[in-house]
């Protein structure tokens, strides 16, 4: 029996298989899956190491290919299906660490070590750079350094101050706009229409300090389990989870006729999350069929989004409805809002201004789009996001609550400043 192979030996082969799927350019697949979704499949082991290696290999792939081809590493090799493994091995040899001769591919790459390293140095000299990242296109460098990590504190488990104290050294920032904008009263009945995995559900429950009731609907059974797990982990006891098609809920049934606020975060294309999903590392899509299938999908999503929003606006006691997507497409955002305006007016709803101080507003495609909020990955250092708020005209509570909330936030800031000052003294 041979010696035990190091874990990295298997991780590299796993990464090579994922890389092959990504580079194969299966358009249907590329439209639906992100790098993360491939890595988080149950069959993948050592997910963290795999994700890190696939991302880094993709990031440097043009450089690696340049070097591999300049030394003719793949020429004359019989097994053409292994190009990706050689890219991964070249990555590790040049940018990470020495590779061990744990397999015949490793042995082959090690036999060309001197030529590969010389080609690497030549490329750096040709491009007149002294660091590896100098070889990357400027957009990749910008994106890599741009997006910070955001967190929301589960106030059912610890206070914001406690969390801030722990996170202070990291300089973290919390934002979870839709639940914050819905701003329900503590004793309200609230509906999270499309809830799984449940991040906004538990945020709502926390904002309501465990009081009132949040009913969370989820259509898909598998995702229902994820939602239940999130709720359990959050320790929230004011959430009722339902396996339910939101479109089929009867707004006048006794269970729902008292609902005062609805958070609608429906299925969307997710086009705003492409930076954090690392889609910029994927090869550029080409071909008519890819573009066409994306448009078809967005149309289908927009029809569902419109139907769900109209349904939300038809609940008799509802005072506030928040609609949000992590899409940057006008078709799923401003167009959906514009298409329901008449229906909204007939139910006495008007658009409320979402976070009035936020600088980036809806695209100016209709009168009123300035009430809508957009975020943008590069401008705002977060996912691309869209939020709209509908307020029933008879409701007087919005302004009062907003004022109360912002004075609470100011109070907390002042307290933190004082505490910090005290520590410094
Ligand atoms: C964008 S995700 C919601 C994310 C969630 N708000 C969060 O922050 O964690 C949309 C969810 O709506 C579910 N969904 C889609 N159509 C639905 C319907 N007709 N009724 C209820 N849930 C639905 C999807 O299965 C998916 O889990």
């Amino acid at each position: 029996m041979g010696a035990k192979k190091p874990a990295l030996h298997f991780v590299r082969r796993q990464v090579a298989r994922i890389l092959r799927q990504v580079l194969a350019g299966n358009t249907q697949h590329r439209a639906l899956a992100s790098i993360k979704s491939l890595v988080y499949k149950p069959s993948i082991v050592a997910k963290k190491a795999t994700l890190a290696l696939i991302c880094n290999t993709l990031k440097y792939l043009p450089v690696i290919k340049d070097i591999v081809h300049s030394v003719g590493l793949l020429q004359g090799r019989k097994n053409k299906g292994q190009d990706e493994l050689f890219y991964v091995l070249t990555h590790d040899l040049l940018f990470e660490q020495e590779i061990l001769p744990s397999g015949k591919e490793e042995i082959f790459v090690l036999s060309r070590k001197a030529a590969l390293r010389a080609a690497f140095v030549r490329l750096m000299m040709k491009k007149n750079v002294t660091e590896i990242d100098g070889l990357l296109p400027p957009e990749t460098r910008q994106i890599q350094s741009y997006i910070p990590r955001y967190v929301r504190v589960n106030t059912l488990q610890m206070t914001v101050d406690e969390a801030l104290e722990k996170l202070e050294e990291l300089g973290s920032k919390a934002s979870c706009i839709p639940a914050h904008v819905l701003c329900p009263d503590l004793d309200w009945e609230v509906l999270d229409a499309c809830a799984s995995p449940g991040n906004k559900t538990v945020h709502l429950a926390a904002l309501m300090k465990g009081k009132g009731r949040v009913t969370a609907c989820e259509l898909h059974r598998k995702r229902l389990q994820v939602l239940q797990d999130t709720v359990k982990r959050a320790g929230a006891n004011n959430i009722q989870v339902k396996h339910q098609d939101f479109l089929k809920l009867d707004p006048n049934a006794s269970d729902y006729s008292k609902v005062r606020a609805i958070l609608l975060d429906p299925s969307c294309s997710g086009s705003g999350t492409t930076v954090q999903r690392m889609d910029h590392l994927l090869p550029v899509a080409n071909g008519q069929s890819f573009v066409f299938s994306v448009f078809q999908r967005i149309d289908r999503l927009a029809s569902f989004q419109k139907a769900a929003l109209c349904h939300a606006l038809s609940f008799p006691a509802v005072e506030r409805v928040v609609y949000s997507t992590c899409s940057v497409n006008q078709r799923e955002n401003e167009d959906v809002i514009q298409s329901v305006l008449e229906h909204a007016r007939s139910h006495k709803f008007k658009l409320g201004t979402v976070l009035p101080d936020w600088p980036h507003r809806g695209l100016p495609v209709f009168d009123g789009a300035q009430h809508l909020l957009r975020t943008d990955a590069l401008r705002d250092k977060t996912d691309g996001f869209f939020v709209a708020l509908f307020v029933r005209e008879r409701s007087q509570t919005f302004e009062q609550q907003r004022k109360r909330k912002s004075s609470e936030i100011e109070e907390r800031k002042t307290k933190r400043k004082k505490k910090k000052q005290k520590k410094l003294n």
Side-chain angles (χ1 to χ4, degrees):
M1 271 223 316
K4 200 172 169 236
K5 293 190 194 307
L8 207 50
H9 178 93
F10 297 102
V11 169
R12 284 190 192 118
R13 279 147 184 85
Q14 203 171 244
V15 166
R17 280 196 299 278
I18 296 174
L19 192 57
R20 198 170 310 135
Q21 291 182 50
V22 170
L23 299 180
N26 175 339
T27 54
Q28 190 61 11
H29 165 84
R30 211 169 328 129
L32 299 173
S34 67
I35 297 166
K36 274 191 178 169
S37 70
L38 291 171
V39 172
Y40 285 110
K41 278 183 178 173
S43 58
I44 301 294
V45 297
K47 292 186 171 42
K48 214 169 158 186
T50 301
L51 183 64
L53 185 52
I54 182 94
C55 287
N56 241 22
T57 308
L58 272 166
K59 178 173 156 191
Y60 294 109
L61 196 61
V63 179
I64 294 169
K65 279 187 170 176
D66 202 335
I67 294 169
V68 162
H69 294 305
S70 76
V71 304
L73 192 76
L74 303 175
Q75 267 165 27
R77 288 201 61 84
K78 282 192 197 117
N79 192 347
K80 288 283 174 209
Q82 285 194 317
D83 290 6
E84 296 78 15
L85 180 56
F86 287 108
Y87 296 147
V88 176
L89 286 166
T90 305
H91 166 274
D92 278 4
L93 180 79
L94 297 179
F95 307 146
E96 286 295 322
Q97 64 244 320
E98 280 293 337
I99 54 176
L100 297 173
S102 60
K104 59 182 190 307
E105 293 79 13
E106 276 83 352
I107 292 170
F108 176 67
V109 170
L110 282 169
S111 74
R112 306 296 308 276
K113 181 166 132 180
L116 286 164
R117 290 211 163 139
F120 181 33
V121 173
R122 273 200 306 278
L123 187 65
M124 301 265 283
M125 284 167 66
K126 188 172 141 199
K127 303 263 174 172
N128 198 18
V129 295
T130 50
E131 287 179 4
I132 311 168
D133 279 6
L135 297 170
L136 296 172
E139 320 81 76
T140 310
R141 268 181 282 153
Q142 193 189 17
I143 286 170
Q144 296 297 325
S145 61
Y146 225 78
I147 309 276
R149 196 153 184 121
Y150 295 106
V151 297
R152 176 182 61 75
V153 179
N154 177 2
T155 48
L156 296 169
Q157 303 263 357
M158 63 169 80
T159 67
V160 174
D161 282 350
E162 281 164 353
L164 279 173
E165 247 165 54
K166 288 192 178 160
L167 293 170
E168 200 121 279
E169 292 141 42
L170 299 172
S172 257
K173 168 182 167 188
S175 97
C176 218
I177 303 171
H180 174 75
V181 170
L182 193 67
C183 194
D185 266 6
L186 300 189
D187 59 349
W188 276 10
E189 289 270 336
V190 177
L191 200 61
D192 187 350
C194 295
S196 186
N199 295 321
K200 297 180 186 68
T201 318
V202 297
H203 187 191
L204 280 170
L207 288 175
M208 293 165 75
K209 302 195 166 63
K211 302 190 175 122
R213 185 166 59 167
V214 183
T215 303
C217 298
E218 174 53 48
L219 176 65
H220 296 291
R221 189 171 285 284
K222 270 192 185 160
R223 294 181 60 85
L224 188 77
Q225 184 58 50
V226 180
L227 174 62
Q228 278 162 341
D229 290 348
T230 309
V231 170
K232 200 169 162 195
R233 265 202 322 274
N237 50 19
N238 58 338
I239 298 175
Q240 182 184 35
V241 170
K242 289 215 161 175
H243 183 210
Q244 170 72 49
D245 181 346
F246 171 63
L247 294 178
K248 294 197 178 136
L249 269 189
D250 176 2
N252 296 307
S254 58
D255 272 0
Y256 304 108
S257 58
K258 295 189 191 71
V259 168
R260 305 281 287 278
I262 297 181
L263 193 153
L264 174 64
D265 184 44
S267 302
C268 72
S269 63
S271 57
T273 62
T274 52
V275 170
Q276 301 217 56
R277 260 176 24 191
M278 293 167 286
D279 284 8
H280 58 284
L281 296 177
L282 297 176
V284 176
N286 52 22
Q288 194 67 18
S289 61
F290 173 68
V291 174
F292 188 65
S293 75
V294 168
F295 278 133
Q296 272 188 329
R297 181 165 173 253
I298 289 175
D299 263 352
R300 271 201 307 275
L301 285 166
S303 305
F304 165 66
Q305 291 154 352
K306 178 183 173 186
L309 184 51
C310 282
H311 194 55
L313 294 167
S314 64
F315 281 65
V318 161
E319 298 192 21
R320 301 168 69 75
V321 173
V322 164
Y323 172 87
S324 61
T325 72
C326 54
S327 162
V328 290
N329 303 329
Q330 180 187 324
R331 182 83 185 82
E332 297 174 84
N333 297 334
E334 288 84 358
D335 289 358
V336 168
I337 301 304
Q338 188 177 15
S339 71
V340 305
L341 283 180
E342 212 165 298
H343 177 81
R345 268 194 290 271
S346 71
H347 285 76
K348 299 208 169 352
F349 281 100
K350 63 175 186 177
L351 283 172
T353 310
V354 180
L355 304 187
D357 296 336
W358 190 266
H360 306 125
R361 313 308 308 177
L363 300 177
V365 289
F366 67 90
D367 190 19
Q370 71 278 9
H371 294 296
L372 315 172
L373 174 145
R374 266 184 179 255
T375 65
D376 169 271
L378 296 183
R379 275 184 328 202
D380 300 316
K381 304 186 181 183
T382 180
D383 277 339
F385 211 74
F386 175 85
V387 187
L389 165 70
F390 289 89
V391 188
R392 204 163 231 155
E393 285 177 84
R394 67 174 180 244
S395 165
Q396 299 271 310
T397 51
F398 175 54
E399 274 308 310
Q400 291 163 1
Q401 289 199 353
R402 203 174 61 79
K403 278 184 192 149
R404 193 194 67 211
K405 282 266 152 71
S406 51
S407 68
E408 273 176 17
I409 291 169
E410 281 311 312
E411 241 172 65
R412 275 210 299 270
K413 269 191 200 161
T414 320
K415 261 191 202 164
R416 270 202 308 278
K417 263 189 204 156
K418 277 188 187 160
K419 217 170 169 183
K420 217 172 180 179
Q421 198 59 43
K422 217 171 165 184
K423 267 189 198 164
L424 287 175
N425 294 339

